[in-house]
Amino acid sequence: MKKKDLSSRYHLIDALRGLAIINMVLYHLCYDIFEVFEVSPGWYATIGAKIWERFICVTFILVSGISMNFSHHPYKRGLIVNLCGFLITAVTVIAMPSQAIWFGILNLIGCSMLITAALREPLTKIHPLIGTAVFTLLFSFFYGLPQRYLGFFSLKLIPLNDALYQFKYLSFLGLKSSDFCSSDYFPLFPWVFLFIAGFFLWKALERYPLSEKLKRRIPLLCPIGRHSLLIYLLHQPILYGVCYLIFQMI
């Protein structure tokens, strides 16, 4: 990237993305050790692991929504991220069918980019604070959709009919069927609402004199954040290979 582009870049956003990807790598390392190689089966279901996983994903999706404001080719970028998600699906189905990933976080982000790009013109007519609030509320209301209810996060207000969840191929929408299984699952609903909330959040923040502070570089985190997609694609095969050497061959 040219120097003039870096000088106008909001490096703190890169740093937040870098922090999220580091957290994700560490989380997946623990998942491989404890769950895949069964050092401590059941770790994934503990409260600490669930909170850690939610924190990583919320950060990653919010930052991706914020970054949508700076994308010059959102359709191209959305297609590339989706293709990377499909590649991960193909690799996991072939190499580790028991840990296969169907509609993981990359497919969610790729589809969210395409949807937000298509809706960008009407979205820009909404006041940023209202948009942030409305789409955050929509995220909370639909949060329980895969668990067959609507409400406010874990508060169940409206139970949904089981008939909506009979079709396996609608699971990507959040209508998770009983026979659907994925080791990384981020359905379009509710998570697209969080992505769009991030899109509005930046528009709300840029109304305040924060731009210069957001351009501050954080040496280690910023370059990691700028290469987060490549790191995401490579980290699991590397982690799995290292764990395999340690637990199966030594």
Side-chain angles (χ1 to χ4, degrees):
M1 181 173 290
K2 296 178 182 179
K3 184 178 287 188
K4 65 178 181 180
D5 293 326
L6 283 175
S7 66
S8 61
R9 192 178 182 97
Y10 293 102
H11 297 283
L12 188 57
I13 296 174
D14 288 330
L16 289 173
R17 192 186 299 107
L19 178 63
I21 202 72
I22 289 172
N23 254 318
M24 189 175 288
V25 169
L26 292 174
Y27 177 84
H28 284 159
L29 175 61
C30 292
Y31 183 87
D32 287 347
I33 293 172
F34 297 132
E35 295 292 335
V36 177
F37 290 93
E38 299 182 334
V39 171
S40 180
W43 171 85
Y44 179 71
T46 63
I47 295 296
K50 287 186 176 296
I51 292 174
W52 189 13
E53 187 243 6
R54 290 294 99 166
F55 172 76
I56 295 167
C57 298
V58 167
T59 304
F60 206 67
I61 294 168
L62 268 178
V63 171
S64 296
I66 288 172
S67 301
M68 185 70 187
N69 289 280
F70 313 110
S71 179
H72 299 297
H73 304 285
Y75 291 109
K76 179 181 177 181
R77 182 71 173 172
L79 288 173
I80 290 172
V81 174
N82 258 314
L83 287 172
C84 290
F86 293 137
L87 175 63
I88 289 176
T89 295
V91 170
T92 54
V93 167
I94 294 170
M96 296 186 299
S98 64
Q99 299 293 325
I101 294 174
W102 299 94
F103 211 84
I105 195 166
L106 288 187
N107 286 120
L108 177 273
I109 290 174
C111 288
S112 296
M113 293 175 74
L114 295 174
I115 291 170
T116 306
L119 297 176
R120 177 171 268 175
E121 186 174 346
L123 289 176
T124 54
K125 296 178 181 178
I126 302 173
H127 190 283
L129 291 176
I130 294 175
T132 303
V134 167
F135 280 93
T136 300
L137 286 173
L138 285 171
F139 171 65
S140 69
F141 184 69
F142 284 91
Y143 187 79
L145 182 65
Q147 285 74 48
R148 308 190 179 195
Y149 73 88
L150 301 176
F152 185 76
F153 291 114
S154 60
L155 178 62
K156 301 179 181 180
L157 299 177
I158 305 172
L160 297 175
N161 196 298
D162 289 344
L164 295 171
Y165 297 84
Q166 292 181 354
F167 305 102
K168 183 176 182 179
Y169 298 105
L170 294 181
S171 294
F172 79 98
L173 293 175
L175 302 174
K176 184 181 179 183
S177 64
S178 57
D179 60 344
F180 177 83
C181 183
S182 177
S183 62
D184 183 37
Y185 174 57
F186 286 88
L188 205 53
F189 302 105
W191 294 100
V192 67
F193 295 128
L194 183 64
F195 183 96
I196 298 175
F199 174 76
F200 276 111
L201 180 60
W202 172 256
K203 292 189 176 300
L205 290 175
E206 69 178 351
R207 291 174 171 239
Y208 299 92
L210 298 171
S211 59
E212 291 307 314
K213 293 182 180 180
L214 291 173
K215 290 180 180 179
R216 185 178 303 170
R217 290 179 173 86
I218 300 180
L220 178 63
L221 295 179
C222 288
I224 291 175
R226 288 197 297 271
H227 298 91
S228 59
L229 181 58
L230 179 62
I231 294 170
Y232 187 90
L233 290 173
L234 295 178
H235 82 281
Q236 248 318 28
I238 294 172
L239 292 179
Y240 183 86
V242 170
C243 289
Y244 183 83
L245 288 172
I246 293 173
F247 295 108
Q248 298 294 322
M249 299 187 68
I250 297 178

